[in-house]
Amino acid sequence: MLKFLANLLGYLLNSIYGIVNNYGIAIIIFTIIFKIVMLPISVKQQKSMKKNSDMQKKVLEIQAKYDNDQVRQSQELMDLYKKEHYNPFNGCLTSIVQMIIVLSMFYLVSQPLTYMKHIEPEKIDSYVSQITEETGTAPRYREIAVIKAMSEKDENVRINMDFLGLDLSDIPSENYTNWKVYIIPVLYVFTSFISTKLISLINKDEKKKENKEEKEDVPQTNETEAMAEMNKQMQLMVPIMSVSIALIAPLGLALYWLVGNLFAMGERLILNKFFRKEEEENNG
């Protein structure tokens, strides 16, 4: 599944590269096109998040009302979910899809000769054997090593990785003395925290609006507070985990994530404004 998707994405990336002849620019255009194609999933995800927020008050009311009757509480919650056509696990599917995409992109940027240039495995193996004999060490990223060592000898494995003075085939963990390799990962982390802060501010704004419209405060439970704390920790952990991967992967992956973050922030602001306007029209 992952390799199949990486192969399909590779055809798109290679087509763009054939036009612009620059790997970095190709990744930027590829990311924007891919994010636009994935927009329906993003819209569904944000609608699901809005639905979750709307359902939270009703769920908490049932939990508070039937706190001493777990059987009745479970039945009432099931009836509520059925009535509202709500599935609390819908978000899991979106997360799984996103994880599949992340892993497929890792395959693509770490094996560009296979998934982007579609070079025969036998030729790649032959070049890797040569490099291993010359260096005495098998390369960690076989195809990246082939691109670096054989581009001058074979134009078929040549990919223009130069992007604004950065070599997108470089791997930060293997080039720690070169400070330039940390520019894109650091920018990715920075935009990740900005994105997290943006989502937090939007959620707070929505809660303030709901509190003004409601006469009674939403009852709080230990379970709710625990979930809120867990969500907060996850928002911090995801960028940390991602940058950990970015440090051991070619810079092309970090560039993809960086552009994706910038696109996602703009998308979030636009969709939030659209949903708010749509809600006002429905309530008006």
Side-chain angles (χ1 to χ4, degrees):
M1 174 64 178
L2 295 177
K3 293 181 179 180
F4 175 75
L5 183 56
N7 200 46
L8 289 179
L9 296 176
Y11 278 110
L12 174 59
L13 181 58
N14 194 45
S15 297
I16 299 171
Y17 177 81
I19 297 172
V20 300
N21 197 37
N22 184 281
Y23 189 62
I25 296 175
I27 285 181
I28 292 173
I29 297 173
F30 165 86
T31 305
I32 294 172
I33 292 175
F34 186 64
K35 290 293 184 181
I36 292 174
V37 172
M38 296 295 291
L39 192 58
I41 292 180
S42 297
V43 171
K44 185 177 181 180
Q45 182 183 24
Q46 291 206 34
K47 283 185 176 180
S48 178
M49 291 173 62
K50 176 62 178 173
K51 184 73 171 180
N52 288 343
S53 178
D54 294 339
M55 288 289 291
Q56 185 182 29
K57 180 178 181 296
K58 297 178 182 179
V59 169
L60 291 173
E61 287 176 347
I62 290 175
Q63 289 175 339
K65 185 176 181 180
Y66 302 104
D67 186 43
N68 297 321
D69 189 347
Q70 295 298 316
V71 175
R72 180 66 185 278
Q73 182 185 114
S74 298
Q75 185 60 49
E76 291 292 331
L77 288 173
M78 289 178 63
D79 292 341
L80 174 64
Y81 296 156
K82 184 176 181 180
K83 178 183 177 182
E84 299 290 342
H85 304 288
Y86 173 75
N87 185 348
F89 300 104
N90 275 341
C92 295
L93 179 60
T94 303
S95 298
I96 292 172
V97 171
Q98 291 177 336
M99 183 57 66
I100 290 174
I101 292 172
V102 167
L103 294 176
S104 298
M105 284 302 302
F106 180 78
Y107 270 96
L108 176 56
V109 300
S110 62
Q111 302 177 60
L113 297 181
T114 295
Y115 297 110
M116 176 181 161
K117 302 294 285 184
H118 300 97
I119 302 296
E120 299 83 357
E122 295 77 15
K123 177 179 283 190
I124 297 173
D125 291 339
S126 175
Y127 282 145
V128 170
S129 296
Q130 282 184 244
I131 295 170
T132 303
E133 289 178 6
E134 292 173 0
T135 62
T137 306
R140 182 178 183 182
Y141 288 97
R142 292 157 38 95
E143 299 186 16
I144 297 298
V146 170
I147 293 171
K148 286 179 173 291
M150 302 296 177
S151 289
E152 297 299 323
K153 300 177 182 178
D154 186 350
E155 63 177 13
N156 291 320
V157 300
R158 186 182 305 152
I159 300 178
N160 180 14
M161 294 279 188
D162 181 66
F163 178 69
L164 300 178
L166 299 174
D167 185 348
L168 295 181
S169 67
D170 280 344
I171 300 159
S173 62
E174 297 180 1
N175 297 271
Y176 55 88
T177 58
N178 180 10
W179 64 270
K180 290 184 179 180
V181 298
Y182 297 104
I183 294 176
I184 296 178
V186 167
L187 287 175
Y188 163 68
V189 173
F190 180 68
T191 55
S192 293
F193 280 107
I194 291 179
S195 179
T196 301
K197 188 67 175 178
L198 176 63
I199 293 174
S200 178
L201 290 174
I202 290 175
N203 290 338
K204 285 182 180 179
D205 185 56
E206 290 179 351
K207 286 182 179 179
K208 286 181 181 179
K209 184 179 179 182
E210 289 175 0
N211 290 335
K212 288 181 180 179
E213 294 175 351
E214 296 290 339
K215 294 181 180 180
E216 299 180 359
D217 293 332
V218 177
Q220 296 295 319
T221 65
N222 292 334
E223 181 181 356
T224 307
E225 293 175 359
M227 288 179 62
E229 182 62 26
M230 184 177 67
N231 288 335
K232 183 178 180 181
Q233 292 178 0
M234 285 297 294
Q235 289 175 350
L236 293 174
M237 285 300 296
V238 169
I240 294 174
M241 290 176 63
S242 297
V243 79
S244 298
I245 297 174
L247 290 174
I248 62 173
L251 285 178
L253 182 61
L255 179 61
Y256 165 76
W257 281 343
L258 172 60
V259 177
N261 266 356
L262 296 174
F263 186 93
M265 284 190 286
E267 174 190 276
R268 175 76 182 183
L269 289 171
I270 293 172
L271 289 181
N272 185 68
K273 186 175 181 180
F274 173 78
F275 290 145
R276 180 173 293 183
K277 183 178 180 180
E278 184 180 52
E279 184 179 358
E280 291 174 352
E281 291 176 352
N282 292 334
N283 294 334

